[in-house]
Amino acid sequence: MDETFAQDVLEGLSAKHKYLSSKYFYDDNGSRIFQEIMHMPEYYLTDSEFEILSLQSKQIIDTVGFAQPFNIIELGAGDGFKTFKLLEHLVNENVAFHYVPIDISQEAIDTLSDKLLERLPNLSIQAKVGDYFEVLNDLKQDNTPSLLLFLGSNIGNYIEVEANKLLSLFNQNMKKGDKLLIGVDLKKNPLIVQKAYLDDGGITKKFNLNLLLRINRELEADFKIDDFDFYSFYDPDTGDVKSYIVSLRNQKVNIKKLNRTIDFRYDELIWTELSKKYSLEELKELAEVNGFTIQQNFLDCKHYFVDSLWE
Ligand code: AVI
């Protein structure tokens, strides 16, 4: 049994306002559902970032300005669909670089490596499964310049203190001269944001409820999935999208491996995820409090999303 998972589930479901961390969405099944989300028309984030990397890869790499060879280290690579455009540009231009994708899902990393090598047989790829910082720490030993990629608005899933902790850890684990390209979803018309998280097809609901299935499987619980629903809400002032699982009944759930029975009230919420949207001013502040300066922002044509280059 994964002790941290067990501990976190116990803590979150025993709290007055119940919560579960979205980092636990991504078991192999959850990673597959996330691929479905990224292909939904409502989930504009993927298309916007894909456009940036399709049309502006040359400008991005020219602005980075590294001598060759260099590393491209992708944190939380997922299916690498967006990154493909950047990699394709570099391979076509015969640029000397190593691509080092890091992800916590073995399945996601295997699929990514196979797909990339099929389409870019000359790509030098050294995939790693595991913790970002262990890998970054290893890479610090070699003095090849590195461009870190933290794309897909993954930073939006961290509350403010955790986002700052993570970014300052990135900073500490970067060598002098290394750069970070961070993908961030921007504040925009609230209806567009709302639809991306409360989709008509119920895929985001399935993504959230998969976490209960994971608890059933790994902690021998008896959540009845049909007795729970999903809700998501965007607050345009704060930029927070908050997602919840909703209990549809008064009910008890036994979690055998935790030796606990948890009570859920009718309409009680479990907070599962924050997906924060930033303004460009807030983004500048986020960079600066963590010791970075923005070298350049690369936006899509609708100004929905930014890939921001930090040094
Ligand atoms: C991975 N992360 C940036 C996604 C997001 O938009 O917050 C996860 C997601 N949750 C619901 N839909 C997508």
Side-chain angles (χ1 to χ4, degrees), residues 63 179-182 184 186 278-289 291-299 306-311:
T63 312
K179 294 186 182 180
L180 170 67
L181 186 69
I182 182 167
V184 177
L186 295 172
Y278 288 86
S279 66
L280 287 173
E281 295 71 40
E282 289 163 340
L283 183 63
K284 184 165 181 280
E285 164 133 19
L286 185 71
E288 287 172 0
V289 292
F292 291 97
T293 45
I294 297 183
Q295 190 180 0
Q296 198 169 321
N297 284 328
F298 300 90
L299 281 87
V306 63
D307 278 332
S308 187
L309 182 63
W310 293 6
E311 47 188 356

Side-chain angles (χ1 to χ4, degrees), residues 22 25-26 34 37-38 40 43 45 151-157 185 196-197 204 207-208 230 243 273-277:
S22 62
F25 283 163
Y26 304 89
F34 184 53
I37 290 180
M38 290 195 295
M40 301 185 326
Y43 195 71
L45 289 81
L151 303 177
S153 202
N154 287 339
I155 193 64
N157 296 132
D185 195 18
Y197 292 88
T204 312
F207 185 51
N208 276 254
F230 170 69
S243 299
E273 188 173 45
L274 169 70
S275 301
K276 190 174 169 58
K277 315 303 168 197

Side-chain angles (χ1 to χ4, degrees), residues 18 21 46 65 72 89 92 100 208 246 271-272 276-277 286 306:
K18 293 184 170 66
S21 168
T46 316
I72 294 194
H89 163 76
N92 287 345
V100 186
N208 276 254
V246 188
W271 180 32
T272 51
K276 190 174 169 58
K277 315 303 168 197
L286 185 71
V306 63

Side-chain angles (χ1 to χ4, degrees), residues 49-280:
E49 194 167 43
F50 185 73
E51 184 214 289
I52 297 169
L53 296 175
S54 299
L55 302 181
Q56 302 181 64
S57 279
K58 181 173 169 14
Q59 289 90 318
I60 294 172
I61 294 299
D62 288 352
T63 312
V64 169
F66 282 159
Q68 298 176 35
F70 56 85
N71 296 318
I72 294 194
I73 304 173
E74 182 160 19
L75 307 160
D79 79 341
F81 170 70
K82 323 167 256 344
T83 324
F84 174 76
K85 281 289 159 192
L86 185 72
L87 301 174
E88 184 187 50
H89 163 76
L90 292 169
V91 170
N92 287 345
E93 296 292 312
N94 288 316
V95 173
F97 74 103
H98 305 291
Y99 176 54
V100 186
I102 311 173
D103 200 282
I104 40 174
S105 162
Q106 178 76 52
E107 187 180 299
I109 278 288
D110 290 345
T111 315
L112 169 67
S113 304
D114 292 351
K115 263 197 326 205
L116 282 176
L117 284 174
E118 207 176 287
R119 297 176 69 180
L120 302 171
N122 293 330
L123 180 68
S124 156
I125 172 167
Q126 295 156 5
K128 315 251 184 213
V129 175
D131 182 75
Y132 298 159
F133 299 107
E134 278 168 27
V135 181
L136 283 179
N137 207 23
D138 290 351
L139 286 162
K140 225 178 164 181
Q141 315 313 326
D142 110 65
N143 46 24
T144 314
S146 295
L147 172 65
L148 265 61
L149 304 181
F150 194 53
L151 303 177
S153 202
N154 287 339
I155 193 64
N157 296 132
Y158 294 82
I159 57 168
E160 192 179 348
V161 268
E162 298 296 330
N164 287 331
K165 231 193 263 174
L166 184 74
L167 292 171
S168 42
L169 266 174
F170 284 175
N171 199 324
Q172 286 160 30
N173 282 281
M174 288 163 75
K175 303 184 296 291
K176 195 168 184 311
D178 284 356
K179 294 186 182 180
L180 170 67
L181 186 69
I182 182 167
V184 177
D185 195 18
L186 295 172
K187 286 181 171 169
K188 61 183 65 62
N189 182 334
L191 292 171
I192 292 170
V193 179
Q194 181 71 62
K195 278 194 188 143
Y197 292 88
L198 208 53
D199 58 295
D200 293 337
I203 298 172
T204 312
K205 170 177 168 176
K206 183 169 71 170
F207 185 51
N208 276 254
L209 295 182
N210 176 60
L211 184 47
L212 303 185
L213 292 175
R214 179 172 183 181
I215 299 174
N216 280 353
R217 193 179 59 245
E218 293 185 22
L219 303 179
E220 294 183 30
D222 59 2
F223 277 103
K224 291 191 199 69
I225 296 304
D226 292 345
D227 289 340
F228 291 89
D229 202 349
F230 170 69
Y231 174 68
S232 183
F233 170 77
Y234 176 55
D235 178 344
D237 288 328
T238 59
D240 290 353
V241 174
K242 286 181 151 191
S243 299
Y244 302 88
I245 290 172
V246 188
S247 173
L248 294 176
R249 304 202 287 123
N250 282 319
Q251 53 186 317
K252 289 184 187 301
V253 174
N254 182 254
I255 309 181
K256 207 168 157 191
K257 288 203 173 163
L258 296 180
N259 278 320
R260 284 296 168 95
T261 299
I262 310 276
D263 287 308
F264 292 89
R265 278 178 286 107
Y266 176 62
D267 283 348
E268 186 171 358
L269 304 177
I270 311 171
W271 180 32
T272 51
E273 188 173 45
L274 169 70
S275 301
K276 190 174 169 58
K277 315 303 168 197
Y278 288 86
S279 66
L280 287 173

